[in-house]
Amino acid sequence: MPVPVLSAAGITVRYSGVPALQDAGIELYPGTIHALAGENGAGKSTLMRVLAGAREPDNGTITAGGQVLRLRNPRDAHRAGIRMIQQELSLVPGLTAAENIVLGAEPRRWGVIDRRMVRLRAAQAIASLGVPIDAEQPAGRLSLAHRQMTEIAKALDAGGAGTLRVLILDEPTAILPAHEADALHERLRALRANGLAILYCSHRLDEIERLADQVTVLRDGACVATGPVREMPASVLIPLMVGRAIERQSWRAASGTRPGPVVLAVDHLSTASRARGAVARAPGATPGATPGATPRATPRATVGARAGDPEMGFAASVADASFVLRAGEIVGLIGLVGAGRSEVALALIGAVQRSGGSVTLRDVPIRPRWPRDAIRRGIGYVPEDRAASALILHDPVRTNITLAALRSLVRWGVVERVRERLVTQRWTDALRIKTRSIETPVQHLSGGNQQKVVLARWLAAADPSLSVLIADEPTRGVDVGARSEIYGTLRDLADKGTAVLVITSDLAEAIALCDRLLVMREGWLVGELAGDDRTPERAASLMVPS
């Protein structure tokens, strides 16, 4: 019988007396991918942190090779051959990708960092993933997907001397498009074949089914089931995770429902980073798109700029985008990483300089200079990276939720605390945010519950009105139950007259949720899909360069 490379038993963790894990356990075997499933707040991240040495348990034991381990910090875990890739990235933005990969274990020669060996080790780690990361690029200028890959390369470099025995991954594909997720999965299968034990946490049940050998389900801090993946399909996993069945449905507007008037009109939008080079339009190309339109001619490359180059600290830029958002509809903006989707959103809220085009809100031209200008005009924004761009992590849930609604809660220059608490509690209950209280620092919430806090902020701001809500990857790192709730919340907002723009890498999500799909490729809006044209095959044909 095989011996587990890492085993945990009776793990109990309490935060301020409230149990996050209760008598939890897991066994990881060499040459096996073991999935960890459960709702947000079920204890998955806490269990992984315990195994990675980031949190000592209050009770329980961890053993490796028959030896009891005391993992007081991540360095102890590294010495034991255990490495974790966190859901929230931890790279140093000012260091290059190569420097981040060897950080903490820098090669030295005569007491000085050996730059040649840094480059060599980084190149080897990156090559093992098969991803074209520029190792000399500062991490802060890499796309989010390439930052994720750099984190994984860093873990693989830690095992370069043959010490890596267990790799723990927390939602590694949450920010990756399908083709990059597939490439990662292929690499993980190769690592499994070489005898590595992999603990893989994911809310995507389809990838658990495709990738994992074993699965453990956590609910309310306790392990409720462990077994082979082949014996635990989604129809079994979902009730175990959430304690109830989740009905599959479409969140699009009811058939025959007509959208309301145009709320936001975008015409020939381009951003400054793209404009640094001369943009050459394809002969015969028509900017903008109409429902059911065929794709425009493929745009020629820009002179002096390359699609996907991380200029101005962002992963891409916008060459040309024209579209409208109407009251009562949810519009999806899709494309590969680097296509310019997030940059459209950043330009609309004033976080990225526009170099061309016009934007009108309810027939009034607008040009926000700062995100606060957009907020005052009724435009809300849920960013892709909630920890870095949306949340004040040390502040309580209360202040994070009411941040955009403070003007309506102020009387005589003072925030009315009773009303503030009532508003916070209303949306905490409505979105089922799992928190000990509304005064709990938001950093102590699970990733999915943090995402709900960001969404609750704009629901609170929607009283009395929110003209436009832009949500960039709104269900990243969110479990199947919470995902359903977020879809329903976005649909409720649309039904109340808000124009909703959803940026997503999940085609299944886009098709189930959105009334129309806008497709971007290499900075250009190349087509729009509506009605029966909203299919994965049609979308993929527009997203991928021919």
Side-chain angles (χ1 to χ4, degrees):
M1 184 174 180
V3 177
V5 67
L6 188 68
S7 178
I11 302 297
T12 297
V13 174
R14 298 180 183 87
Y15 292 104
S16 301
V18 178
L21 286 175
Q22 301 182 72
D23 199 30
I26 195 168
E27 291 184 340
L28 305 179
Y29 291 88
T32 300
I33 298 177
H34 195 124
L36 192 59
E39 279 195 290
N40 293 118
K44 303 184 304 297
S45 293
T46 302
L47 179 58
M48 289 185 290
R49 284 168 55 81
V50 167
L51 297 178
R55 174 63 159 88
E56 284 195 82
D58 298 309
N59 291 299
T61 58
I62 301 171
T63 59
Q67 299 291 320
V68 175
L69 298 179
R70 185 181 178 190
L71 305 178
R72 294 163 296 185
N73 51 57
R75 190 173 293 276
D76 288 344
H78 295 173
R79 293 193 187 102
I82 305 164
R83 194 81 178 216
M84 178 178 174
I85 307 298
Q86 306 258 9
Q87 182 179 342
E88 303 300 344
L89 305 183
S90 59
L91 300 178
V92 180
L95 298 182
T96 67
E99 290 167 339
N100 271 282
I101 287 171
V102 303
L103 189 63
E106 297 90 342
R108 296 181 181 273
R109 184 183 178 91
W110 308 111
V112 178
I113 293 177
D114 187 335
R115 297 292 177 183
R116 186 185 67 82
M117 283 301 299
V118 168
R119 291 191 294 270
L120 178 61
R121 276 175 47 184
Q124 290 172 341
I126 291 170
S128 68
L129 287 174
V131 179
I133 300 172
D134 183 353
E136 298 305 312
Q137 189 75 246
R141 291 174 62 89
L142 294 173
S143 70
L144 204 53
H146 279 184
R147 275 182 267 165
Q148 174 74 80
M149 288 295 190
T150 302
E151 289 266 21
I152 296 172
K154 181 177 179 178
L156 296 178
D157 176 71
T163 59
L164 187 63
R165 302 166 67 192
V166 177
L167 179 62
I168 302 171
L169 299 119
D170 187 4
E171 294 288 344
T173 61
I175 58 173
L176 300 182
H179 72 287
E180 290 192 4
D182 289 342
L184 172 61
H185 290 166
E186 284 303 312
R187 181 56 193 155
L188 294 179
R189 291 186 184 100
L191 293 171
R192 173 180 61 185
N194 289 334
L196 190 66
I198 299 172
L199 180 59
Y200 190 95
C201 178
S202 177
H203 290 303
R204 297 181 176 180
L205 302 187
D206 57 333
E207 70 178 17
I208 287 177
E209 185 176 357
R210 293 194 311 269
L211 182 66
D213 306 297
Q214 297 281 320
V215 59
T216 290
V217 182
L218 289 177
R219 188 172 74 232
D220 297 328
C223 293
V224 296
T226 294
V229 165
R230 64 178 180 275
E231 297 177 4
M232 302 179 75
S235 59
V236 174
L237 283 177
I238 291 174
L240 287 171
M241 291 167 54
V242 302
R244 66 190 189 280
I246 299 294
E247 184 179 344
R248 294 180 65 86
Q249 58 179 297
S250 170
W251 283 267
R252 295 196 299 267
S255 178
T257 301
R258 291 190 175 185
V262 172
V263 175
L264 189 78
V266 180
D267 188 43
H268 298 324
L269 176 71
S270 61
T271 59
S273 54
R274 169 74 67 169
R276 287 175 180 173
V279 178
R281 180 169 295 146
T286 304
T290 55
T294 56
R296 303 195 300 265
T298 302
R300 293 198 300 258
T302 60
V303 178
R306 179 168 56 88
D309 272 351
E311 300 184 35
M312 295 178 63
F314 302 105
S317 51
V318 182
D320 193 317
S322 298
F323 58 90
V324 297
L325 302 179
R326 297 182 177 89
E329 70 174 351
I330 301 176
V331 176
L333 186 59
I334 61 175
L336 302 179
V337 170
R341 302 167 305 165
S342 296
E343 287 63 43
V344 168
L346 294 170
L348 292 178
I349 66 170
V352 164
Q353 182 183 352
R354 277 164 35 195
S355 60
S358 63
V359 178
T360 59
L361 179 66
R362 301 191 186 280
D363 297 324
V364 177
I366 64 169
R367 194 180 183 97
R369 296 178 58 194
W370 307 98
R372 65 172 173 264
D373 294 338
I375 292 171
R376 288 170 182 161
R377 293 178 181 273
I379 301 176
Y381 174 58
V382 178
E384 179 180 15
D385 191 342
R386 56 180 171 262
S389 306
L391 296 170
I392 307 173
L393 293 174
H394 295 287
D395 275 16
V397 171
R398 170 178 51 81
T399 55
N400 274 279
I401 287 180
T402 58
L403 193 60
L406 282 178
R407 299 180 89 189
S408 66
L409 299 173
V410 171
R411 186 176 184 182
W412 307 111
V414 178
V415 175
E416 295 186 86
R417 295 301 180 190
V418 173
R419 288 182 58 208
E420 183 187 31
R421 291 188 181 95
L422 287 174
V423 168
T424 303
Q425 197 63 57
R426 173 189 174 189
W427 293 113
T428 299
D429 294 342
L431 291 183
R432 299 205 303 170
I433 298 172
K434 291 185 179 179
T435 176
R436 293 191 299 276
S437 82
I438 61 173
E439 300 302 325
T440 299
V442 77
Q443 65 182 340
H444 293 159
L445 273 60
S446 68
N449 282 299
Q450 289 180 355
Q451 187 75 339
K452 288 184 182 181
V453 168
V454 179
L455 187 57
R457 175 183 301 163
W458 298 111
L459 295 173
D463 285 335
S465 66
L466 183 68
S467 295
V468 178
L469 178 65
I470 303 170
D472 195 348
E473 303 288 1
T475 59
R476 174 191 165 204
V478 170
D479 65 70
V480 63
R483 185 175 293 227
S484 175
E485 293 163 5
I486 288 174
Y487 292 164
T489 299
L490 293 175
R491 174 48 61 192
D492 288 344
L493 266 177
D495 290 345
K496 292 175 182 176
T498 299
V500 181
L501 179 66
V502 173
I503 301 170
T504 178
S505 300
D506 188 334
L507 277 181
E509 172 174 275
I511 292 167
L513 178 64
C514 301
D515 305 304
R516 291 186 288 126
L517 299 179
L518 306 173
V519 187
M520 291 199 71
R521 184 176 72 233
E522 298 177 345
W524 298 71
L525 199 154
V526 295
E528 181 178 311
L529 303 176
D532 293 338
D533 279 340
R534 289 168 298 187
T535 65
E537 295 78 16
R538 182 75 172 126
S541 70
L542 294 175
M543 290 163 56
V544 180
S546 57

